[in-house]
Amino acid sequence: MQIMLCAISNIASGNCSEDCKYCTQSAYVKTDIQKYRRKEISQIILEAKIAKKNEALGFCLVTAGLGLDDEKLEYVCEAAMAVKKEVPDLLLIACNGMASVEQLKELKKAGIFSYNHNLETSKEFFPQICTTHTWESRFQTNLNAKEAGLMLCCGGIYGMGESFEDRISLRKSLQELQPFSSPINFFIANDNLNLKAPKLDADEALKIISDTKEALPQTVIMVAGGREIVLGERQYEIFKAGASAIVIGDYLTTKGEEPSRDIVELKKMGFTFASQCH
Ligand code: SF4
């Protein structure tokens, strides 16, 4: 079995106008994260080269904030074209919040393969974790990405206090979108965040993965943030549960597993690394 590895580059960090309660990049919470309006293009290229060396196929350019404006769009396009030129084998993903069809077409022209915009949770539970934008606007951006001809990467965060029914509802919405890939994040509480929820246990986390795969059999299920903390020594059981992709290296604002350990463990399990998406 082939595993797809994706790396993330947080190219514009923090100071976000939105109040998503799970996010340390929100200006509503006090944090000690690094904040910057743009990362140097040379640094992004360096990270892309490291990702490639670590067997990544996907490389995601993430910006904090509600969505794209002209300046941000230009910057993401500039970064995408620079990475494409230097590391042409990487599949580029953009994750830049709300976006119109026209903006998403510009990203596609710049070499972006897929757009990541998570629904995060069910339509019903979303107002409890964010009040500054709507779940519907998130759903619409996913429709826009499809209309623009981009592949879709759309998933959510679990363990924020949502009910079992909320998880079913989120999966139903994902079924409507039929994303190419679907990230599963596990919420990790942080003293600076107002959202308090107990850590998921490993069995529950693995069940979330298998339920998601069952609901989305054609979708690449990717395990992202929280893998190491929630699953610990059981983290490589995710593949038996239905995952076929992981985020390697660090997440947006938190440390991840050492890529070298992931690579060793995956090879020991007999997996190879995807070098193309189909
Ligand atoms: S919009 Fe994105 S960056 Fe801003 S607070 Fe929400 S999740 Fe964080």
Side-chain angles (χ1 to χ4, degrees):
M1 178 169 149
Q2 286 205 327
I3 305 295
M4 178 168 154
L5 306 184
C6 282
I8 293 175
S9 180
N10 198 5
I11 66 172
S13 172
N15 287 324
C16 179
S17 60
E18 302 306 290
D19 73 348
C20 308
K21 290 194 175 60
Y22 53 84
C23 182
T24 53
Q25 300 202 76
S26 165
Y28 287 76
V29 294
K30 266 203 229 139
T31 52
D32 46 9
I33 62 160
Q34 274 191 304
K35 296 174 184 163
Y36 44 85
R37 273 173 58 81
R38 49 162 70 200
K39 191 179 263 179
E40 289 293 334
I41 299 287
S42 56
Q43 176 62 28
I44 301 170
I45 292 171
L46 182 69
E47 291 175 25
K49 287 182 175 167
I50 294 170
K52 178 74 195 152
K53 215 169 111 227
N54 285 331
E55 309 279 0
L57 173 60
F59 186 69
C60 186
L61 301 167
V62 188
T63 53
L66 178 61
L68 283 168
D69 55 22
D70 289 351
E71 191 190 333
K72 214 182 251 182
L73 177 62
E74 198 182 312
Y75 170 52
V76 180
C77 288
E78 187 192 345
M81 288 188 285
V83 173
K84 206 72 208 159
K85 188 165 165 237
E86 296 287 330
V87 200
D89 296 343
L90 286 174
L91 289 180
L92 296 182
I93 302 122
C95 174
N96 315 121
M98 309 298 163
S100 66
V101 177
E102 290 67 34
Q103 289 170 325
L104 291 157
K105 280 184 179 165
E106 289 300 311
L107 290 178
K108 188 165 191 279
K109 261 194 251 164
I112 296 293
F113 163 80
S114 171
Y115 198 70
N116 169 234
H117 195 53
N118 293 334
L119 295 177
E120 307 304 14
T121 190
S122 70
K123 191 200 294 196
E124 297 77 17
F125 188 62
F126 190 81
Q128 290 190 48
I129 60 153
C130 176
T131 64
T132 47
H133 62 268
T134 63
W135 182 94
E136 284 76 6
S137 59
R138 285 186 170 261
F139 194 85
Q140 184 59 49
T141 290
N142 278 284
L143 295 177
N144 294 349
K146 286 189 117 173
E147 195 180 327
L150 288 162
M151 302 297 267
L152 199 60
C153 176
C154 179
I157 307 181
Y158 293 84
M160 298 191 292
E162 76 282 355
S163 66
F164 189 67
E165 287 69 32
D166 287 316
R167 291 177 190 170
I168 293 173
S169 172
L170 169 59
R171 285 195 279 271
K172 277 197 183 136
S173 303
L174 291 171
Q175 280 173 330
E176 281 177 52
L177 292 169
Q178 286 295 323
F180 164 72
S181 54
S182 187
I184 292 178
N185 294 277
F186 301 118
F187 175 68
I188 304 299
N190 171 320
D191 287 346
N192 294 318
L193 295 175
N194 296 322
L195 181 59
K196 307 290 172 210
K199 194 176 83 172
L200 287 171
D201 80 27
D203 286 321
E204 198 176 358
L206 291 167
K207 169 101 171 69
I208 287 166
I209 297 168
S210 54
D211 287 349
T212 306
K213 185 63 192 173
E214 203 183 310
L216 298 164
Q218 307 300 327
T219 296
V220 174
I221 306 299
M222 171 182 297
V223 179
R227 162 166 63 104
E228 304 79 0
I229 296 175
V230 167
L231 291 155
E233 284 309 305
R234 298 183 63 191
Q235 61 177 295
Y236 299 107
E237 291 179 33
I238 59 174
F239 304 111
K240 224 188 282 168
S244 56
I246 53 171
V247 170
I248 52 159
D250 294 339
Y251 302 105
L252 291 175
T253 58
T254 54
K255 292 292 289 173
E257 186 58 84
E258 276 302 321
S260 54
R261 178 175 180 218
D262 280 337
I263 291 166
V264 168
E265 294 295 331
L266 290 169
K267 281 185 178 165
K268 257 200 259 170
M269 293 167 79
F271 295 131
T272 53
F273 304 109
S275 57
Q276 50 187 23
C277 68
H278 298 296

